[in-house]
Amino acid sequence: MIPQIKKFLCAMDLSDNSAYVLRYAMNSAKKHDAGIIILYVLEPLSVTTHAMVLPYLTEGLVNKISEEKIAYAKDQIQQKLKTFCEKELKNDPESADTVESIELCEGFPAEMILRKADELDCDAIIMGTHGKGFIRNTFLGSTSKRVLRRTRKPIFIIPLPKEEADIGLHNV
């Protein structure tokens, strides 16, 4: 017997594919009468970047600036995701109830997706591929492969269709 899917973890990278992935997640949630948790993973400052600024600033100041930047980025991402969801859901108010929460965390994307899927008791993972911009190869290229190799949960990898001129968060 196939287990029921009651909760999807929808990992997003805020690329143009994100709107398409969210639509797919909402459609799947409707069909399974399930909820959606949206997850965005903020990658930590690289060791190289940290080492480059350390000679010019004290360790305490570097940590303070880093914490402030992370807090600002989290706030901006949270606002963009909320606006994005509102924009996507305005024509389908019934789907608004399927989004249970928007989660932000800091860490390495594949590890955090797997950890949050377990912590939040999600039954399946939905994520995109072919991200755009600076995260093209770091978030949804290699990340989707890492998650796929390590998960014991069903996973849906959603490619961006060539014909789709999708909305992204740059419009939000």
Side-chain angles (χ1 to χ4, degrees):
M1 184 169 149
I2 297 175
Q4 261 192 318
I5 297 174
K6 287 295 181 190
K7 194 184 303 182
F8 287 97
L9 180 73
C10 181
M12 295 176 61
D13 70 345
L14 309 183
S15 69
D16 287 347
N17 197 13
S18 293
Y20 190 73
V21 172
L22 181 59
R23 289 180 198 133
Y24 192 93
M26 291 193 178
N27 184 46
S28 298
K30 274 188 202 176
K31 289 182 180 185
H32 290 275
D33 192 27
I36 300 170
I37 295 176
I38 296 172
L39 175 67
Y40 180 85
V41 180
L42 184 62
E43 291 191 71
L45 190 63
S46 74
V47 174
T48 306
T49 304
H50 188 79
M52 285 175 32
V53 298
L54 200 53
Y56 304 102
L57 303 169
T58 65
E59 181 74 30
L61 188 55
V62 169
N63 290 339
K64 182 180 177 194
I65 292 170
S66 181
E67 288 171 11
E68 288 172 358
K69 288 279 189 190
I70 289 168
Y72 176 77
K74 282 184 177 181
D75 182 58
Q76 291 298 305
I77 291 164
Q78 189 80 35
Q79 291 302 319
K80 283 187 176 226
L81 280 171
K82 282 184 181 178
T83 304
F84 181 66
C85 288
E86 288 169 4
K87 189 174 185 178
E88 282 297 300
L89 299 175
K90 73 178 179 184
N91 295 328
D92 190 7
E94 290 176 13
S95 291
D97 294 337
T98 62
V99 178
E100 294 179 8
S101 67
I102 297 172
E103 301 285 326
L104 281 144
C105 61
E106 194 179 341
F108 297 101
E111 291 174 24
M112 294 309 297
I113 290 167
L114 293 164
R115 182 180 304 162
K116 286 295 186 178
D118 287 337
E119 284 176 12
L120 300 169
D121 199 30
C122 296
D123 303 301
I125 300 168
I126 298 177
M127 59 191 299
T129 188
H130 299 299
K132 302 290 183 194
F134 73 96
I135 51 180
R136 180 179 186 127
N137 293 319
T138 58
F139 186 75
L140 289 176
S142 61
T143 300
S144 59
K145 290 177 190 174
R146 286 184 184 116
V147 172
L148 187 59
R149 286 183 188 135
R150 294 174 47 199
T151 190
R152 304 293 299 165
K153 297 178 184 293
I155 183 166
F156 300 86
I157 306 288
I158 314 301
L160 180 63
K162 288 182 182 178
E163 69 277 357
E164 185 80 17
D166 216 341
I167 67 160
L169 282 142
H170 57 276
N171 295 332
V172 177

